[in-house]
């Protein structure tokens, strides 16, 4: 009987140890998940702050973009005004050039008239010269025969009345001719002087007109030069504004992409938090069931210690049942810290982390054939996926081509891993993946010179690259 009671006491003691250890393990597991949930909530708070900063920056950039567009509109209006004025000035210059050409033509015609007039003047001068010679001869003849007395002699020397009439008529005709010659001489001299004066004045007027037109054209040309300079300055300002807008637009897109990554990361953390809460609830349920089983086992052991007639078989059965309940609640332990990530692919190490080709290479490269399996370096939640990139499009996926980002929670810390240049993707955003699970195939989409995997690790979330070699095992 004493031996039997000893066995009962030992069984109860061992059960207490086992259940006590199980209680400790379960308590530690629940506390671990509670700590994990708290850390994930801290990460969520950080992401919200980061999201707020990104939104603030995005708003500032959008305001700058609006200001830029307003400036562009103002400069375009100024360019349009200058262009209108420039077109008008060009039209005025063209019109003035036509006027100058017309004036040149007028001058050419006037010079032809002058040439013709010179010929007429020359002929007129010759006529005047001949008349002067004729008048000189007449005067010399009159002087030689005695002037008016000889005329009277001619008249009185007539033998008949008819001869008198004839002689008188002849004398009058000669006198009239002399008078006409004199009048023509005076008229031609006046006409010559008038023509010379008119031609010279007209030539002077036309030359003055041409000079004024040339002066007006020069002013218009100067205005055109000034307008061309203003136009060049405005076009340069417009080009600068457009470049600035493109930079702002590109920055805005990067902020949108960053905002998207933050949202995806937040979703991944929320899912990890939900999984931790689910696992915590499961352990708490197991803990409640374990306590119930423990109380039941203790009550049964107490009853058996009072009942000396209970068989050894029931005692053995009760002990076995307790052992089974102890093994059912063993927790999964995650490795943490450095060396907790596995190599994401088999292949040849071709490039490390650090400066390369004038920029920083934010990860490592592992080369192998197209389609080589790519696995999750650690368990986590897929936070971002880009697909649809084809080989040859070097800008697709921001140069990464098809890529995957996974968010991990390891040893109270958040990590993100990036897998780039994939030929295929087997996961989607929000999906939970296990360490070693295939997530895609190796390729050379994006900015890639051959089939390889570009792998990055970011402690604290994406946008914080470190050397993966310090974390791989």
């Amino acid at each position: 009987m004493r031996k039997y009671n000893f066995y009962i006491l030992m069984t109860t003691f061992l059960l207490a140890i086992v259940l006590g250890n199980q209680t400790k393990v379960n308590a530690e597991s629940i506390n671990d998940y509670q700590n994990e949930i708290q850390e994930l909530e801290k990460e969520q708070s950080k992401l919200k702050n980061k999201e707020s900063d990104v939104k603030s920056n995005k708003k500032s950039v959008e305001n700058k973009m609006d200001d830029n567009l307003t400036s562009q509109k103002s400069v375009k209006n100024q360019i349009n005004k200058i262009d209108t004025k420039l077109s008008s000035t060009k039209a005025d210059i063209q019109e003035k050039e036509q006027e100058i050409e017309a004036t040149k033509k007028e001058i050419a015609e006037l010079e032809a008239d002058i040439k013709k007039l010179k010929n007429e003047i020359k002929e007129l001068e010759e006529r005047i010269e001949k008349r002067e010679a004729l008048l000189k001869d007449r005067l010399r003849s009159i002087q030689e025969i005695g002037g008016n007395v000889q005329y009277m002699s001619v008249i009185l020397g007539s033998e008949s009345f008819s001869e008198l009439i004839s002689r008188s008529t002849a004398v009058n005709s000669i006198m009239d001719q002399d008078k006409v010659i004199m009048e023509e001489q005076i008229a031609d001299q006046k006409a010559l002087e008038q023509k010379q004066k008119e031609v010279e004045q007209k030539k002077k007027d036309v030359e003055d007109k041409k000079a004024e037109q040339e002066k007006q054209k020069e002013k218009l040309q100067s205005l055109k030069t000034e307008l061309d300079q203003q136009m060049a300055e405005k076009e340069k300002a417009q080009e600068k504004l457009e470049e600035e807008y493109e930079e702002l637009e590109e920055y805005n897109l990067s902020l949108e992409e960053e905002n998207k990554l933050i949202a995806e990361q937040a979703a991944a953390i929320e899912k990890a938090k939900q999984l931790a809460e689910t696992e915590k609830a499961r352990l708490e349920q197991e803990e409640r069931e374990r306590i119930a089983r423990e109380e039941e086992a203790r009550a049964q052991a107490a009853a058996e210690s009072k009942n000396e007639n209970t068989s050894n078989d029931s005692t053995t059965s009760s002990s076995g049942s307790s052992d089974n309940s102890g093994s059912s609640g063993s927790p999964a332990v995650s490795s943490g810290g450095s060396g907790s990530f596995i190599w994401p692919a088999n292949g040849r190490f071709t490039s490390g982390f650090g400066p390369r080709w004038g920029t920083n290479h934010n990860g490592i490269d592992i080369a192998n054939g197209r389609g080589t399996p790519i696995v999750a370096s650690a368990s986590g939640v897929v936070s971002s996926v880009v697909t649809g990139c084809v080989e040859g499009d070097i800008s697709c996926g921001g140069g990464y081509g098809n890529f995957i980002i996974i968010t991990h929670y390891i040893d109270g810390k958040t990590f993100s891993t990036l897998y780039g240049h994939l030929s295929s993707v087997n996961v989607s955003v929000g999906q939970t993946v296990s360490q070693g699970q295939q997530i895609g195939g190796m390729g050379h989409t994006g900015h890639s010179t051959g089939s390889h995997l570009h792998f990055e690790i970011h402690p604290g979330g994406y946008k914080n690259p470190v050397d993966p070699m310090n974390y791989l095992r």
Side-chain angles (χ1 to χ4, degrees):
M1 178 65 68
R2 290 181 178 178
K3 187 175 182 181
Y4 173 74
N5 288 337
F6 174 76
Y7 285 138
I8 293 291
L9 290 172
M10 286 299 296
T11 301
T12 304
F13 177 72
L14 290 172
L15 179 62
I17 292 174
V18 170
L19 293 175
N21 287 337
Q22 182 63 42
T23 302
K24 183 179 179 182
V25 170
N26 283 349
E28 287 178 354
S29 299
I30 292 170
N31 288 334
D32 287 343
Y33 280 111
Q34 181 61 39
N35 291 334
E36 181 177 343
I37 291 168
Q38 291 174 353
E39 289 296 328
L40 288 170
E41 287 173 346
K42 288 180 183 178
E43 290 296 328
Q44 285 180 322
S45 178
K46 290 179 183 178
L47 282 176
K48 284 181 180 178
N49 292 334
K50 191 174 182 181
E51 183 181 17
S52 177
D53 291 341
V54 171
K55 285 182 178 178
S56 177
N57 289 338
K58 193 172 185 298
K59 183 65 177 176
S60 175
V61 170
E62 287 172 349
N63 289 337
K64 288 181 181 178
M65 290 173 71
D66 291 338
D67 292 341
N68 181 282
L69 289 175
T70 301
S71 299
Q72 283 195 54
K73 186 177 179 181
S74 175
V75 172
K76 283 180 181 178
N77 289 335
Q78 293 176 33
I79 288 175
N80 290 335
K81 288 180 181 178
I82 293 172
D83 188 57
T84 300
K85 195 172 182 180
L86 191 58
S87 298
S88 176
T89 302
K90 287 179 179 178
D92 291 342
I93 290 173
Q94 187 175 4
E95 182 180 353
K96 195 58 62 179
E97 287 175 344
Q98 291 174 353
E99 290 178 3
I100 291 172
E101 287 300 319
T103 303
K104 286 180 179 179
K105 186 176 180 181
E106 188 178 352
I107 291 173
E109 291 174 353
L110 188 59
E111 287 177 347
D113 290 342
I114 290 172
K115 186 177 181 181
K116 182 179 178 182
L117 184 61
K118 283 182 178 179
N119 292 332
E120 292 177 357
I121 290 172
K122 186 176 181 181
E123 291 175 1
L124 186 59
E125 287 175 343
E126 288 175 355
R127 286 203 305 269
I128 291 172
E129 187 177 351
K130 287 178 180 179
R131 287 194 196 99
E132 286 179 349
L134 178 62
L135 288 172
K136 285 179 181 179
D137 290 341
R138 291 285 183 91
L139 290 172
R140 192 180 298 112
S141 297
I142 291 171
Q143 189 176 11
E144 288 176 354
I145 60 176
N148 291 334
V149 176
Q150 296 300 324
Y151 278 106
M152 291 301 294
S153 298
V154 171
I155 295 172
L156 294 175
S158 301
E159 294 180 356
S160 64
F161 183 73
S162 58
E163 185 179 356
L164 174 64
I165 296 301
S166 298
R167 287 190 176 190
S168 298
T169 302
V171 170
N172 287 333
S173 297
I174 291 170
M175 292 179 69
D176 289 340
Q177 286 176 358
D178 290 342
K179 183 179 179 181
V180 169
I181 290 170
M182 291 298 293
E183 289 175 350
E184 287 178 352
Q185 181 77 353
I186 292 169
D188 285 345
Q189 285 178 342
K190 288 182 178 180
L192 177 62
E193 291 174 0
Q194 183 65 27
K195 283 185 179 182
Q196 286 178 331
K197 187 175 180 181
E198 287 177 357
V199 169
E200 289 173 359
Q201 185 62 42
K202 189 172 183 180
K203 183 179 179 182
K204 182 179 181 301
D205 292 343
V206 174
E207 287 176 344
D208 290 345
K209 179 181 177 182
K210 181 174 177 291
E212 181 62 25
Q213 289 172 339
E214 292 285 358
K215 188 177 180 181
Q216 291 174 357
K217 180 185 175 183
E218 186 178 345
K219 288 182 179 179
L220 290 170
Q221 289 285 10
S222 177
L223 177 60
K224 179 179 177 296
T225 301
E226 182 181 346
L227 291 171
D228 284 336
Q229 184 177 356
Q230 291 179 10
M231 178 67 81
E233 290 174 356
K234 295 301 179 185
E235 287 177 345
K236 187 176 181 180
Q238 178 71 10
E239 184 180 351
K240 186 177 180 180
L241 285 169
E242 288 174 354
E243 289 177 358
E244 180 184 337
Y245 186 82
E246 287 179 2
E247 291 175 0
L248 288 170
E249 192 173 35
E250 185 177 347
Y251 182 43
N252 190 41
L253 290 173
S254 70
L255 288 174
E256 287 180 1
E257 184 66 25
E258 186 174 356
N259 205 27
K260 180 185 174 185
L261 288 172
I262 289 172
E264 290 171 344
Q265 214 169 1
I269 288 176
E270 178 61 27
K271 186 160 186 178
K273 180 183 172 184
Q274 290 173 1
L275 290 173
E277 287 174 344
T278 300
E279 188 62 22
K280 179 189 173 189
R282 183 185 67 79
L283 289 175
E284 287 174 343
Q285 179 62 29
E286 288 182 357
E287 178 69 6
R288 286 191 293 270
E289 292 174 357
R290 183 197 59 74
I291 291 172
R293 287 195 300 271
E294 181 182 351
E295 290 176 353
E296 182 183 353
R298 285 175 179 171
Q300 185 178 358
E304 287 176 349
S305 66
K306 293 178 182 180
N307 189 357
E308 297 179 356
N309 296 322
T310 304
S311 65
N312 292 334
D313 292 338
S314 70
T315 303
T316 305
S317 174
S318 175
S319 299
S321 174
S322 297
D323 288 341
N324 289 337
S325 68
S327 62
S328 64
S330 59
V333 180
S334 298
S335 61
S338 299
S340 58
F341 292 86
I342 65 170
W343 284 80
N346 292 324
R348 186 176 74 261
F349 181 86
T350 57
S351 185
F353 179 90
R356 187 181 72 169
W357 304 334
T359 60
N360 194 64
H361 188 232
N362 291 334
I364 62 172
D365 292 342
I366 304 168
N368 210 328
R370 190 178 185 277
T372 298
I374 306 299
V375 301
S377 186
S379 298
V381 179
V382 178
S383 57
S384 184
V385 172
V386 169
T387 59
C389 297
V390 295
E391 295 176 4
D393 185 357
I394 63 173
S395 63
C396 189
Y400 288 117
N402 299 320
F403 71 84
I404 299 168
I405 296 178
I406 300 176
T407 298
H408 314 272
Y409 185 81
I410 301 172
D411 196 26
K413 296 180 182 178
T414 301
F415 294 86
S416 289
T417 52
L418 182 145
Y419 311 76
H421 307 310
L422 306 180
S423 61
S424 61
V425 173
N426 302 345
V427 293
S428 57
V429 173
Q431 181 177 339
T432 302
V433 294
S434 302
Q435 187 176 58
Q437 178 181 336
Q438 183 172 347
I439 57 175
M442 190 179 291
H444 60 100
T445 56
H447 196 186
S448 167
T449 56
S451 178
H452 75 283
L453 169 69
H454 176 79
F455 177 68
E456 297 179 6
I457 294 181
H458 299 251
Y462 191 65
K463 295 280 186 183
N464 184 38
V466 295
D467 189 351
M469 298 300 289
N470 296 330
Y471 293 82
L472 292 170
R473 68 182 183 207

